[in-house]
Amino acid sequence: MRTDREGMLVVLSGPSGSGKDTVLGELLEQVDDIEVSCSLTTRERRSWELDGTHYYFVTREYFEDKLKSGGILEHACYNGNYYGTPKTPIDEWMAEGKTVILKIEVEGAARIRSMYPNCVSVFLVPPSLRVLSQRLYRRESENECEIERRLEIAKTELLHAQDYDYIILNDMLDYAVSDFRTIIRAERQRSCRRLYLIDEVLQDAEC
Ligand code: 5GP
């Protein structure tokens, strides 16, 4: 029986424009002890994005070197660019017993699920493709061609939602955040993550 206090790995996926950043931002305001992984990407930085906060924006050469040296836990190619999760912070946070959230697409999520069978996977779904399209056009961060490509990718991503532990509908932001918070609270109490408590009770020398 494993009784040490392990971290909890949470994978959050959902089509581009489904609201992952917004939901996650609200969740971080409400729940303590959460770390969010900052990925490496070779895609161009959007005007409001900060290097080291939204992503580490790197060259293809840097990414490929890091991949070769084993510094990337999982990676995927999305719309012609590399995206990858740096390994070291994840290992450290997991060893510290933290809840660690990876905001990644479906291929990377599948890899994480096979590497960490105890991880919790959550898929955020928009109410409709029409709403998704409106959101992508409204945020004005990609041109029309790029948005149409993202919408095509979204259709295939939606077919993978069934592989996840949970599907959250992001129609009303407050409900989506509340659903995500409930999942995290419940998963933190799962018996495999709470055995250290039993250990502590049994080791109580007073009785
Ligand atoms: P965006 O270009 O919109 O920031 O991200 C495109 C997609 O790549 C999103 O679905 C996002 O969640 C995903 N993504 C971001 N970082 C990573 C990563 O480290 N690994 C994988 N597999 N996907 C990522």
Side-chain angles (χ1 to χ4, degrees):
M1 174 162 97
R2 277 199 76 149
T3 55
D4 50 331
R5 195 174 191 155
E6 267 185 272
M8 179 169 93
L9 199 55
V10 180
V11 172
L12 174 65
S13 299
S16 179
S18 59
K20 299 185 291 287
D21 287 314
T22 314
V23 169
L24 204 47
E26 285 292 317
L27 183 86
L28 291 177
E29 298 278 312
Q30 300 178 19
V31 185
D32 293 332
D33 277 335
I34 292 185
E35 301 289 348
V36 180
S37 167
C38 181
S39 297
L40 280 79
T41 183
T42 60
R43 92 148 152 71
E44 236 174 72
R45 190 174 66 82
R46 295 171 187 147
S47 56
W48 70 88
E49 287 177 326
L50 299 173
D51 193 25
T53 300
H54 297 95
Y55 283 106
Y56 296 108
F57 295 94
V58 299
T59 61
R60 267 190 115 77
E61 295 70 41
Y62 182 92
F63 194 98
E64 283 164 1
D65 282 351
K66 192 101 178 143
L67 202 55
K68 270 190 221 134
S69 65
I72 294 183
L73 185 63
E74 65 70 40
H75 76 287
C77 191
Y78 176 96
N79 203 16
N81 287 303
Y82 282 135
Y83 294 79
T85 304
K87 188 172 183 307
T88 308
I90 309 302
D91 290 345
E92 288 174 357
W93 288 327
M94 290 296 282
E96 288 166 14
K98 297 265 174 62
T99 297
V100 182
I101 302 189
L102 308 184
K103 191 168 46 87
I104 60 178
E105 52 67 69
V106 295
E107 279 178 34
R111 260 175 236 128
I112 293 291
R113 271 196 298 269
S114 61
M115 279 187 271
Y116 298 86
N118 280 343
C119 79
V120 180
S121 60
V122 178
F123 192 92
L124 195 63
V125 67
S128 67
L129 285 173
R130 192 172 45 83
V131 168
L132 190 69
S133 167
Q134 284 167 355
R135 286 182 189 164
L136 286 174
Y137 276 100
R138 216 176 294 139
R139 74 181 188 188
E140 294 180 348
S141 49
E142 291 91 15
N143 60 35
E144 187 179 347
C145 178
E146 166 98 355
I147 290 176
E148 292 306 319
R149 274 206 304 269
R150 282 178 180 250
L151 286 169
E152 278 311 303
I153 296 173
K155 289 180 199 160
T156 52
E157 287 180 316
L158 285 163
L159 299 175
H160 289 274
Q162 61 184 338
D163 304 331
Y164 287 69
D165 298 318
Y166 299 95
I167 297 177
I168 297 179
L169 172 65
N170 187 17
D171 191 0
M172 307 279 280
L173 179 64
D174 286 353
Y175 288 127
V177 175
S178 161
D179 288 345
F180 200 8
R181 202 181 56 213
T182 303
I183 290 166
I184 288 187
R185 285 200 61 168
E187 287 288 344
R188 280 178 171 172
Q189 325 303 317
R190 198 176 272 281
S191 62
C192 65
R193 298 192 181 95
R194 297 298 251 178
L195 292 178
Y196 71 92
L197 283 178
I198 308 299
D199 216 28
E200 281 171 17
V201 172
L202 287 175
Q203 282 181 11
D204 187 351
E206 296 286 297
C207 312

